[in-house]
Structures are given as C-alpha cells and as structure tokens.
Amino acid sequence: FFFIINDQTMLAVPALCTSVLWLGCLHSVLVRAENKDSGVPDCDSFLHGRVSSCETYQIATLNSSPHRCLHIEGATLDDKSQRSAYCTDFINWFDGTNGCRVYGLPQNKDWCDIYGGRTYTSTPHTAKQACCVCGGGVERELEFQVGDFVRVPSLSWNCKSVRVSKILESQNHAYTVEFLENCGQKHLIRTNRGIQQKHMYETGQLLKIPNDQIAKMTLHRRLELRKCRTGSKEQEFSLVPDDVKSASSSGKFTIYHPLTDTEISLSLGESKQGSNALQIDPAFEGDTFTHALDFFHITFHGPSSSNILLSGMFGETEYAEAVWTQIYNRNYHESPYSMWSFEKIERTNDTTSDEHTVWLEKMTESLGIQYLQQLAPWHLLDVDRAASKSDVKLRFRELSRTYHPDKVLPEKREQSSKIFVLLQNAYEGLKNTDEAQKEAFRTSADTDSQLFSHSQHVIELLPFHWTKYGNDADYQYVIKTNATNSTATKADNGSVQIWLLFLYSARCGMSRSIEGYLDLAAGHLEKENIKVGAYGCGLYDGFTPNNKDITGVLTDEICKQYKRRETPNVHVVVETISGDDNFVEDNAQFKYFKSDVPTGNTTHLSPKSLINFAVTGKRIWKDMHLVKKMKKEDFVDEAFMTNISIVAFFDATNSDTSDVEVQDAITSFMPTLARRFYKAGLYVGIARCGSGYEENAAFLDCSEYGVGWLPDVKMFGKNETEGISLIRGNFGDRRDVQIAMESMSNVLSLVLDAEEDLFDDDLEDLNDEKDEGSESGGSCSPPADAFASDFDLEEIEDSDTMMLDAPDIEDKTTKPKLAESNKPKLSSQRQERIMQFESRKPIHRGSGRVIGGSSSSGGGAIGGR
C-alpha cells in the first residue's frame, strides 16, 4: 500500500501492517513520516536500544547450547487463498425417518437418485438440497491446513499436541489428525509383558474428525522451541509497542509473527478481554556485566492471573515447546528458563554455505574426532531433540553428501569416514518410530553428552587439555592448553592463565540449568583475561560412572582430585605458561573453591556471582606471593621473631583424612589477610606438615610448634615460638572458620592500628546472597550406601530443602600421615565428618532426577521420561 503525505512524500506501509495490527502499525508509520522533516529518526528504539520498530527478531532462549528460538509452524498468509472447501449437511435435516448420514451408507448408495428429490412435511428441503452426499449441503472453507496444530474439545483436555495430517478424507470427515504424544485417560491392558497402562490416544495414532465437530476446533499456534536458524521465517517476530511514547517505561508490546499473522499472546489459549500486550522487562538489574541488558522476561497480566513464558523447567528434559506458566507466589524470575533475548535478523544472500558442516570440520581439525563422539546425536545431525523422522532423514541425507566416503577427496576420506559413522549412528537412533525406544536412546545420549560444545565463550575441556603434574606416587592433573602470553597474566616468576573451572555432570539438572549463566559470565570475564572452562565428569573413556557414583565426580580422576561429592562445583585454578619450578609448584597447588554452590540455588551461579568469584580468585592468586612458604629455619628468622605472625598449618600429604572444607577456607583467607596488613608488617605464612619431612624440606614436623590437629591457624607474638591456636577442634565447617578468621582480622586491625584496606568482597562466602530463585537448590551427589536402598528420589514432588541426617558411625579417629605417633591429629568431631565423606547422606534439594541413574541418586538432577 502507498500513501501520499503532504502532497510530497510517498510512504510504503510495511507488510507486517496486517490484520489486527493494522491500525496500530499504520499509526506508528504515519507518526514517523510526520516527524521526518523535523529530524526525528524514522525508527523507534526501545528496551535500552535493544529493539527497533523497523526490525524483525529471533526470540532466543538463554538456557541451552546451542540457543533455541521461538518457532511457529502453520499455514502462511499466502496459503489461505489456496485452501480447499468442504461440505457440511444442513443442521438437523431429516426426512421424517432418516438423516443425511443414512443416505451416505454404502448399502444406500442409490437413495439419492430414488428419494433425493422428494419433499417432506418435516422439512422444506430435499435431500439433494440438504445432504452433501446427494450434491447438496453447504460449502465451507477449510479452516486448517496439513501441519496445523489444533485443539479438539471432544478429545481429552490433556491432548495438546494434535496436528492435522490429512484433509478432505471423505464427505463426512474433512480432517484426520495425528497425536504427537500420548494423551487421554489411561486404562489397563494385558500384554505379553503383563498388565500395563495405556493412554486412550497413543503417539502416532490417527483419528478422523467428523464434520459436525469441526466448528468446535480451534487453531493452536504452538510456540515451539527449535534450534535458531538463519533465514527461517517461522522464527521471525516483530515488536509493536502498545504506546510508542511510553513503551520504554511501560514495557508493553505486542509480539507479532508476520508469517502466520499471529500474536504470541494468543498461544495462551484463552479468550482475553482488553489489550493483548505483553510485559517485557529486563531480566537482570542494571548494566552490571556484558550483555546484562540483552535478556528479558516476557509476561502477560490478565484479569484473573499472570503468566510468564518459560523455555523449560528445572529438573526436566529439554522442552520442545515454550509454555505459559501461572506465576502464583513462585518467583520464576530468577530462573534462566524465564529469560529471552531478541536477536536482530540480518539479511544475507548467501544460501550455499552450511554453517553446521563448517563447524563440524573446524572442531574436528582443532580438537579431534573424540570431541564429536561426545556430542548429543541431535546436535551432531543439526536437528532438534524432538525432530520428526522425516526431518532427521532429510538432514542426514544432506550431511551424507558432504561426508560419505565415496563423495570426498582421497586426502579427506579417513576423517570424513569417521564423521560419517557418527552421523549414521545418530541417524539410526533418532529415526526410530517406536517413541519409547527413541526416548530411551535420547535419554542415554543425554547422560554422555557435553553441555558446552556450542558455547560462544566457554571452552569445553577434554582429557588431553590436562596433564599430570608430580610423580607416580603423588600427582595431580593441571590444565595445559594452548594459552598464549597475549592472554596470560604476568607475574614476577613467569606468566599464567587464570581459569574459572566448572566441573559438571551431564546427568545433573543444576549443571544443565545454568549453561546460559556460565556463558554470559565467560563473555564478561574475557575482559579480565580470565578463561572459563567446563569439564564433564565421567564423560570419557576410563572414567565411566557406576552405581555408587552416578555423576562421575568420584570416578573421574580429574574431578576426584577436587574432593567434592556434588556437581556442579566451581573453582578458580591456574595454568602455568612459563616460570621456574617454585612458581609451577605454587600454581599447581592453588585452588579456590566457590563454597556456596553445593547447598545454593541458581542465584549463587548467576553471571554476576560467577564473575565476582572469578575476579576475587584471581586477586587472591596475585596476593599469594605475600604469604611465606614456611621452612624450619623461617620459624627462627628475624622477620618472624620480630613481628606478630599468623601461620596456617596444613596436612601436606593430601591424604583422605585431610579436612578439605576447612583447609580450603583457610587457604583462601591467608592471601587476603596478608594484603590487608601488608603495610602494618604482619607476617603471614603457611606450613606444610607431613611424613617424609626429613627428605623434603618443605614438609615440617609441626608438633614442634604446638600443633595438635590439622588444619590449624596459630598466632605468634613477637619472640614467641609457640602460638595460640585459633581453630579449635569444634570448628566443624567452612563457615565457622571464615567467621573466626574475619573476627581475628578485625581484632588485628585494632592491635596493629592498621589502615582500613578492607576485603573488597574477597570473602564472598560471608556475604549472604538472598536465597531466592525458582530452584531451591540442585547440586547432584552420588548416592550413599548407608541409605541408597530405602530412599527413592522420584518420590520428591516439591523443591523444598530436605535435610537428611548422617548415619551414626563409630568414632574411628585416626592420625594423619605424620612421622611419629605423637604428631598432630584431627579432632574427633572433624575426623568423624571426614570419614563419612563416602557414606554420609548429601543434602538433597530440587525436584529432579539423575538421567539414567538409579532412583536413589542425588537431588537436583534431571530425569528422562
């Protein structure tokens, strides 16, 4: 359409100004034209400049890798003119004895010729006028096309995935629909496998809809979630402000799908009064990190309820359809599943390149075929998890043209053959028409697949990214990648790469739910020269999980060294690029643990929380040079004797009796303490206690300094050789230690009259974050033998915290591996807690299950269906 404005300007109205949006959109166009001469921009910008009224957008999820986008299938506007018609009989017509249906029975095929022209006192119309089978009836335009999703009131209320598969099936049945998932009431049937439940309507079942039911059918525009694809018109949306002048402040918009002439608010399936506008609000408070302003919540506030658009739910498998969920009193706004971004669609004329094949070849060349072996089969084939058999077959054929050994050059045949075998295996599993078997295949694949293979900023670490450091008897795995000095942090003795390390389990719901959070944090941390790496516990050969360690955190040698029982667990670690032996040793020993994760929720793994933790860890590593590595002669050195000194004593043998929780809290605190009182002259040191100190000068006989248990922290006055212990035996956990250490630091500040060089949030564990969020926890832990047999996590129906007391065990206090029998030992209370490491009951939080695991698995995990 074209309009002449002021006898001068010809204005083309955009194609999206159609149907219900015509007046509002036209008004916006006219306002922009009116302001053209006054210098006002033609396009209105909203939501902190993230959205323009002149652009179309993909609406992408935050919580998946690769990202998925809202996708609406169905007949297009152009298809409407091509729709066929069907016939309906006159309502309630009968000839005094029979209705139109009887005229259409096979045994009555000659009735129309014999009786069709007769008139009756019961009706003014003949059968040839009233009945379709006799050439009469009323022609109606077909409302639906093949592929349309529909709601049929005569079916069960839970039949929501019903699609038109055929049209004009017969005179009496214009439509045949297909059920895409089981629905309807369940009933018991006897099979070869015994008594089983069966749904009224099974996946793949076809059903003819009688013509008299068609008037009650309604179009169901499903908000599907599919992999974001360039050029897909099914994924293009426009945002029309409810009021141009107030849109930025009110956040009210109509989200419109031009291809199908649909507003996404109509997918609520309810008849609403008043405005159909949705509320679009920022997901994060302020511009606190990179891309914080790019994500939004989409809600609808109706007269009787408020609904929020979600792309999934904690503890569940990947959703194939976005859902509107009533908010009630539950705070969904903290969940990554409630966050969406508007990605501007860039037009391109390049239709020849296949982005997926380019990505496959790049990953294979840089990381090897092992990388592709751990990809989910649907990611390998570049289809959606719930893709139909026809979609899977089509994509496999396309990729076969590139990777079939007979279609490639000889020099590429070996690599292409390996890729083709993986593609073929993925195809065989996903094409299965038996839904139960196919879902079992997908669930099994979920447990063995990397979570960050498509991440933009997170590096998926593989086993070859790690190297053993130490000797055969005492070694650990340290990161060794291709980090360069251009991204490294310089130090006096060399250079390093600081890493935020995310150890996850593919079976864990919490690990999956915060994929997007970690990627956002990684994008921001690039500015801090901090890399973010993720490693999947139990994913690789030789580290296979078992019934006692479903998540792989205790079986995988790399994960096991961090001595955590739950996933995810997060650390700051250091990769040495260059430096002397002492520098390499110190960096290998450095581990800074995010202690609020095991019993926390998604709030504790938010981008801001992860960023603060990583930056703090880097600062603590930098301050490590202020902490003296104590040798025997240092305890009589002038610097030690003439100053107030704080020395931490640790079990250097790295034995299973080491109290990792308390030791890690002390280790993290000491550099901060040293920095705070550096100008005041406080002497801060760490002493490593253990057997073999005669051969290794770094190991001390700590009993000589009055150490009665490990770990311990002692304060030494000037010219004192025996200090006062600050960590007594009844300090049972990390939190107690942190409070004691901070209190000691405040006392020292008064004694030393030190300047207030405070912590700058170094001890983030002491700063309680609000325990909000839609998930009340979710770390996944291996089952404990003491209770695995009688505890079924599938019985959990809510997400309230469950505190399970540890079983009573005998007091078997033992000594750490020190030289003599009178050497320091652990307090009985602390030793008992450590001895329960393999058998204690973890804190179960969340309502998920472990994929592929037993029902006694840890909380917060994710389950297949």
Side-chain angles (χ1 to χ4, degrees):
F1 297 94
F2 295 89
F3 287 86
I4 304 300
I5 307 297
N6 297 330
D7 297 324
Q8 296 178 1
T9 305
M10 179 178 287
L11 175 67
V13 178
L16 63 83
C17 290
T18 57
S19 187
V20 295
L21 295 181
W22 168 259
L23 292 178
C25 182
L26 179 59
H27 174 265
S28 177
V29 172
L30 293 174
V31 169
R32 290 200 298 272
E34 182 181 348
N35 293 330
K36 185 173 182 180
D37 294 335
S38 62
V40 177
D42 287 347
C43 299
D44 297 306
S45 180
F46 309 101
L47 303 177
H48 304 291
R50 266 53 179 181
V51 172
S52 168
S53 57
C54 297
E55 305 291 348
T56 55
Y57 298 88
Q58 289 179 309
I59 304 178
T61 62
L62 168 63
N63 62 292
S64 57
S65 177
H67 292 317
R68 294 179 298 154
C69 288
L70 290 184
H71 180 110
I72 299 181
E73 285 282 349
T76 66
L77 294 173
D78 293 338
D79 291 335
K80 289 183 177 180
S81 61
Q82 303 172 9
R83 289 182 171 179
S84 303
Y86 71 99
C87 180
T88 58
D89 300 324
F90 284 12
I91 298 175
N92 297 327
W93 182 91
F94 76 111
D95 60 11
T97 305
N98 302 299
C100 289
R101 188 181 65 83
V102 178
Y103 278 72
L105 296 175
Q107 63 268 32
N108 302 330
K109 60 183 179 180
D110 57 351
W111 278 28
C112 288
D113 295 331
I114 301 174
Y115 307 114
R118 294 185 181 183
T119 58
Y120 303 93
T121 57
S122 59
T123 175
H125 303 106
T126 65
K128 289 186 176 181
Q129 293 173 324
C131 301
C132 295
V133 69
C134 297
V138 179
E139 260 199 5
R140 300 183 185 276
E141 181 183 311
L142 283 169
E143 294 288 333
F144 313 107
Q145 289 289 91
V146 171
D148 282 350
F149 286 88
V150 293
R151 295 189 188 277
V152 185
S154 60
L155 302 178
S156 178
W157 65 271
N158 63 349
C159 292
K160 298 179 180 179
S161 295
V162 182
R163 182 173 61 188
V164 175
S165 63
K166 294 181 182 179
I167 57 175
L168 295 177
E169 182 73 13
S170 67
Q171 287 290 346
N172 296 319
H173 302 90
Y175 297 105
T176 298
V177 298
E178 177 186 9
F179 295 89
L180 301 186
E181 60 184 31
N182 298 338
C183 67
Q185 293 182 339
K186 293 181 180 179
H187 56 277
L188 297 177
I189 61 171
R190 184 180 296 277
T191 68
N192 294 333
R193 292 179 290 181
I195 302 296
Q196 293 185 330
Q197 282 189 334
K198 184 178 180 180
H199 286 86
M200 180 181 297
Y201 305 107
E202 297 285 317
T203 301
Q205 182 177 335
L206 300 179
L207 179 69
K208 294 180 180 180
I209 305 298
N211 287 351
D212 58 1
Q213 293 290 323
I214 292 177
K216 301 177 182 180
M217 289 172 56
T218 56
L219 186 66
H220 173 38
R221 292 299 190 192
R222 282 178 30 128
L223 287 179
E224 297 184 73
L225 288 167
R226 298 195 184 181
K227 182 180 176 182
C228 301
R229 298 191 183 277
T230 304
S232 173
K233 291 188 178 298
E234 289 82 2
Q235 296 179 1
E236 292 189 16
F237 295 86
S238 299
L239 274 74
V240 180
D242 209 33
D243 186 305
V244 174
K245 294 181 179 179
S246 64
S248 292
S249 57
S250 69
K252 291 186 177 181
F253 295 83
T254 296
I255 300 180
Y256 173 66
H257 190 244
L259 180 69
T260 57
D261 190 24
T262 304
E263 303 170 51
I264 73 168
S265 58
L266 299 179
S267 64
L268 278 162
E270 300 174 354
S271 177
K272 306 185 301 302
Q273 297 179 352
S275 172
N276 292 339
L278 301 171
Q279 186 75 33
I280 301 178
D281 298 310
F284 300 104
E285 293 183 6
D287 193 10
T288 52
F289 56 88
T290 305
H291 300 303
L293 297 180
D294 291 350
F295 291 88
F296 302 89
H297 298 299
I298 300 175
T299 55
F300 175 78
H301 300 289
S304 58
S305 65
S306 294
N307 294 267
I308 187 168
L309 188 63
L310 301 179
S311 61
M313 192 71 74
F314 180 77
E316 298 186 14
T317 50
E318 187 176 274
Y319 276 23
E321 182 179 1
V323 295
W324 289 101
T325 301
Q326 288 194 26
I327 298 176
Y328 295 114
N329 295 323
R330 190 172 182 183
N331 188 1
Y332 287 100
H333 291 77
E334 299 289 339
S335 168
Y337 297 104
S338 68
M339 299 179 185
W340 306 84
S341 65
F342 298 96
E343 307 293 335
K344 179 181 174 181
I345 293 177
E346 302 289 350
R347 304 298 176 184
T348 176
N349 295 323
D350 183 10
T351 59
T352 58
S353 63
D354 188 326
E355 295 178 357
H356 184 63
T357 58
V358 173
W359 181 83
L360 281 177
E361 292 172 6
K362 178 183 176 182
M363 293 297 102
T364 305
E365 290 173 3
S366 60
L367 299 174
I369 197 69
Q370 183 185 23
Y371 184 83
L372 299 186
Q373 289 173 342
Q374 302 306 140
L375 284 181
W378 46 94
H379 291 330
L380 194 62
L381 283 177
D382 191 35
V383 296
D384 292 287
R385 189 182 188 278
S388 65
K389 179 182 177 181
S390 58
D391 288 342
V392 171
K393 184 176 182 180
L394 176 63
R395 191 61 176 133
F396 175 67
R397 285 183 173 178
E398 292 174 347
L399 293 172
S400 295
R401 298 189 190 105
T402 303
Y403 294 108
H404 194 285
D406 296 339
K407 299 182 182 296
V408 298
L409 298 174
E411 59 269 23
K412 291 187 175 182
R413 188 162 296 159
E414 181 179 358
Q415 176 176 295
S416 295
S417 297
K418 294 178 180 178
I419 296 176
F420 181 76
V421 169
L422 295 177
L423 294 173
Q424 195 169 33
N425 291 339
Y427 170 65
E428 292 296 330
L430 293 176
K431 75 171 185 178
N432 198 330
T433 55
D434 187 308
E435 282 299 315
Q437 293 180 10
K438 184 162 70 173
E439 182 57 28
F441 171 78
R442 290 187 294 215
T443 301
S444 176
D446 273 324
T447 67
D448 296 321
S449 300
Q450 298 160 343
L451 298 187
F452 297 91
S453 56
H454 287 77
S455 174
Q456 297 183 54
H457 304 287
V458 179
I459 299 172
E460 184 81 57
L461 295 171
L462 303 178
F464 68 77
H465 287 131
W466 301 77
T467 186
K468 279 186 177 181
Y469 175 78
N471 54 51
D472 292 339
D474 183 18
Y475 65 86
Q476 60 181 308
Y477 288 91
V478 295
I479 296 177
K480 195 66 177 177
T481 65
N482 296 322
T484 63
N485 286 324
S486 61
T487 60
T489 298
K490 307 296 180 181
D492 292 340
N493 299 339
S495 61
V496 302
Q497 176 63 58
I498 307 296
W499 287 84
L500 177 67
L501 175 63
F502 184 83
L503 298 176
Y504 71 86
S505 168
R507 303 183 178 199
C508 181
M510 179 63 88
S511 296
R512 290 175 172 275
S513 69
I514 56 93
E515 288 177 58
Y517 276 0
L518 190 66
D519 197 58
L520 284 178
H524 181 90
L525 288 171
E526 288 176 356
K527 299 188 299 185
E528 303 285 345
N529 286 337
I530 298 176
K531 289 189 175 182
V532 178
Y535 178 80
C537 300
L539 281 184
Y540 306 101
D541 293 342
F543 300 149
T544 307
N546 52 49
N547 290 335
K548 292 185 178 180
D549 178 27
I550 297 172
T551 62
V553 70
L554 302 179
T555 309
D556 193 302
E557 289 293 322
I558 291 173
C559 297
K560 183 179 180 180
Q561 68 185 1
Y562 292 91
K563 297 190 175 181
R564 305 304 314 170
R565 292 190 68 250
E566 68 289 324
T567 57
N569 55 84
V570 186
H571 311 261
V572 172
V573 297
V574 180
E575 173 188 4
T576 303
I577 309 300
S578 63
D580 58 31
D581 291 343
N582 290 333
F583 187 65
V584 174
E585 168 74 17
D586 291 344
N587 293 333
Q589 296 296 330
F590 182 83
K591 297 179 182 69
Y592 179 51
F593 171 58
K594 192 168 184 7
S595 61
D596 57 3
V597 172
T599 56
N601 53 41
T602 51
T603 304
H604 299 92
L605 286 164
S606 68
K608 184 178 179 181
S609 180
L610 290 169
I611 290 166
N612 290 343
F613 171 75
V615 172
T616 297
K618 181 177 181 179
R619 187 162 57 237
I620 288 176
W621 170 81
K622 284 184 175 181
D623 291 336
M624 282 297 293
H625 73 281
L626 300 175
V627 180
K628 179 71 174 179
K629 310 302 185 296
M630 303 291 288
K631 299 178 181 179
K632 187 171 184 177
E633 56 268 25
D634 292 324
F635 283 92
V636 294
D637 184 75
E638 181 180 358
F640 177 81
M641 298 298 293
T642 58
N643 287 287
I644 295 177
S645 304
I646 305 293
V647 180
F649 296 87
F650 297 140
D651 180 2
T653 63
N654 198 30
S655 66
D656 291 337
T657 58
S658 300
D659 194 334
V660 178
E661 293 284 345
V662 174
Q663 184 164 310
D664 183 73
I666 298 171
T667 303
S668 301
F669 187 89
M670 299 302 281
T672 301
L673 187 70
R675 173 165 59 86
R676 181 177 184 185
F677 296 106
Y678 177 73
K679 294 180 181 179
L682 180 69
Y683 190 102
V684 180
I686 290 178
R688 302 179 66 195
C689 313
S691 59
Y693 54 81
E694 294 87 350
E695 293 80 22
N696 190 334
F699 289 3
L700 300 175
D701 179 358
C702 295
S703 62
E704 295 181 0
Y705 311 106
V707 178
W709 47 74
L710 294 175
D712 194 8
V713 176
K714 283 184 173 291
M715 177 186 291
F716 296 83
K718 294 180 181 180
N719 299 313
E720 289 185 357
T721 56
E722 281 203 18
I724 301 173
S725 178
L726 302 175
I727 307 296
R728 298 290 177 182
N730 59 353
F731 280 81
D733 58 34
R734 181 188 188 98
R735 176 73 176 176
D736 291 340
V737 174
Q738 290 176 322
I739 294 173
M741 297 292 282
E742 186 180 24
S743 299
M744 175 202 67
S745 179
N746 292 333
V747 172
L748 282 173
S749 180
L750 297 175
V751 172
L752 298 175
D753 194 22
E755 296 180 7
E756 288 298 313
D757 182 14
L758 295 179
F759 296 90
D760 299 325
D761 293 328
D762 281 355
L763 298 178
E764 67 166 2
D765 298 326
L766 293 174
N767 302 322
D768 289 335
E769 297 191 45
K770 293 182 292 184
D771 191 18
E772 298 176 353
S774 59
E775 288 76 57
S776 63
S779 60
C780 304
S781 307
D785 292 340
F787 68 100
S789 61
D790 58 3
F791 179 74
D792 188 348
L793 191 63
E794 293 183 16
E795 295 176 1
I796 298 178
E797 296 296 338
D798 55 45
S799 59
D800 294 333
T801 302
M802 298 182 63
M803 300 294 292
L804 303 177
D805 296 331
D808 294 330
I809 64 172
E810 217 178 304
D811 185 2
K812 299 180 180 179
T813 303
T814 61
K815 303 178 180 63
K817 298 175 182 177
L818 299 178
E820 301 174 9
S821 60
N822 63 345
K823 293 302 185 292
K825 63 181 181 180
L826 295 167
S827 68
S828 59
Q829 179 188 17
R830 194 178 303 163
Q831 177 65 23
E832 179 178 302
R833 184 164 56 82
I834 294 169
M835 289 176 62
Q836 297 175 40
F837 178 76
E838 299 292 345
S839 62
R840 71 176 187 263
K841 297 179 182 180
I843 297 175
H844 291 278
R845 311 187 70 175
S847 56
R849 291 167 289 174
V850 172
I851 289 183
S854 70
S855 61
S856 59
S857 58
I862 184 171
R865 295 174 183 171

